[in-house]
Amino acid sequence: KAGVTQTPRYLIKTRGQQVTLSCSPISGHRSVSWYQQTPGQGLQFLFEYFSETQRNKGNFPGRFSGRQFSNSRSEMNVSTLELGDSALYLCASSSVAGPSDTQYFGPGTRLTVL
Amino acid sequence: AQSVTQPDIHITVSEGASLELRCNYSYGATPYLFWYVQSPGQGLQLLLKYFSGDTLVQGIKGFEAEFKRSQSSFNLRKPSVHWSDAAEYFCALGDQGGSEKLVFGKGTKLTVNP
C-alpha cells in the first residue's frame, strides 16, 4: 500500500505570495492532519480534516487554511507569505479520526520564503 | 494544558551501547503517548504507542518504552544502538478531546559514534 504523498517536495516563494500544498493520504484513510515543523518552534499542529470537515485547528493566523476533498486528498494554503512561514510542512493520515489511531506521516514539503 | 518535555536536545552514544531517551508529559488523565523517529529529510515514522494496559510497550527496530504514571514519564530505550539509529526522536501526546491532534516535544537528536 502506498504511503502518504506530498507535493511538491520543495518550494521557494517570495514574501507576499501565496502557496498551495497537497497531500494524498494512504488509500482508505479518511483523516488528514497538517503540521508545521521549524527549528525554533518544533512540530506544531495546524489543522485536522475528516470527511471533508475541519475538526480541529491549531493556533495559527487566518492566512493558513485548508480543505479536504471527497477522495480524502487535502490541500493547505498559505496566503501573504512571511519569512517566518519557511518550514517543513508535514501531512499525516489515519483510517479513523481519534487520538488512539496511528497517524502515518508523509515526507513533507519544504517551503522556503525569500 | 497538555505539554511534552524532552529534556535532552542532543545525545551521543557509541554503537552497541544502550540508549534511553527521556520524555515527560503534562496531562491529568491517562494519556495517549507516542514515540516517532525522523531521519534527515524524511517524515516521521511511528516507533511505538501507549494507550492503556501493560506499561512496557514494544515497538519496531528493537525499541521499547515504559510508561510511569507516578513520574509522568514515557522513556524510550534500546539495549544496543546501531549506527542506523542516528536520527531525531520525538515524543508526542495525543489529544483527549477526540481529535487527531498530537502535541510534540522538541525532539532529541541522537548521534551514534562508530
Side-chain angles (χ1 to χ4, degrees):
Chain A
K1 189 183 273 190
V4 177
T5 58
Q6 293 188 245
T7 56
R9 290 292 310 276
Y10 302 91
L11 207 49
I12 299 175
K13 292 286 188 179
T14 56
R15 279 182 300 173
Q17 288 187 309
Q18 76 164 20
V19 67
T20 298
L21 312 181
S22 180
C23 171
S24 293
I26 292 172
S27 177
H29 284 192
R30 296 168 62 192
S31 177
V32 173
S33 298
W34 289 88
Y35 293 83
Q36 181 196 63
Q37 185 177 23
T38 60
Q41 298 300 315
L43 282 150
Q44 295 185 286
F45 172 78
L46 279 159
F47 22 65
E48 171 199 348
Y49 288 89
F50 181 76
S51 293
E52 302 179 66
T53 301
Q54 186 180 87
R55 282 168 36 99
N56 202 353
K57 190 177 192 301
N59 188 24
F60 279 82
R63 301 185 295 107
F64 291 81
S65 63
R67 59 178 176 169
Q68 187 181 32
F69 302 95
S70 58
N71 61 358
S72 294
R73 190 177 69 85
S74 177
E75 289 181 347
M76 66 163 283
N77 184 276
V78 188
S79 62
T80 319
L81 284 165
E82 300 177 359
L83 295 178
D85 297 333
S86 294
L88 181 67
Y89 290 88
L90 293 164
C91 166
S93 77
S94 63
S95 56
V96 295
S100 62
D101 197 27
T102 297
Q103 294 187 57
Y104 296 87
F105 283 80
T109 293
R110 171 76 60 185
L111 172 65
T112 302
V113 182
L114 302 176
Chain B
Q2 299 175 50
S3 67
V4 176
T5 302
Q6 293 180 247
D8 304 306
I9 297 173
H10 192 183
I11 283 183
T12 300
V13 299
S14 298
E15 191 168 16
S18 63
L19 172 70
E20 182 169 28
L21 303 181
R22 297 183 291 164
C23 171
N24 294 97
Y25 67 90
S26 174
Y27 185 72
T30 299
Y32 299 130
L33 292 162
F34 306 80
W35 274 101
Y36 283 88
V37 61
Q38 185 178 36
S39 298
Q42 302 295 316
L44 300 172
Q45 181 183 24
L46 179 69
L47 289 174
L48 45 79
K49 58 186 179 182
Y50 171 80
F51 298 142
S52 64
D54 194 352
T55 57
L56 187 62
V57 181
Q58 300 297 320
I60 62 171
K61 303 185 180 186
F63 286 93
E64 66 178 25
E66 186 171 13
F67 171 66
K68 292 185 177 180
R69 183 188 301 278
S70 61
Q71 298 177 20
S72 297
S73 70
F74 187 56
N75 294 349
L76 182 71
R77 301 194 295 245
K78 187 170 185 178
S80 178
V81 171
H82 189 262
W83 64 266
S84 61
D85 293 324
E88 192 155 18
Y89 292 79
F90 294 91
C91 182
L93 179 62
D95 179 43
Q96 295 288 334
S99 81
E100 295 278 309
K101 176 184 176 181
L102 294 173
V103 175
F104 285 90
K106 293 291 189 181
T108 298
K109 184 175 180 180
L110 174 65
T111 297
V112 180
N113 287 334

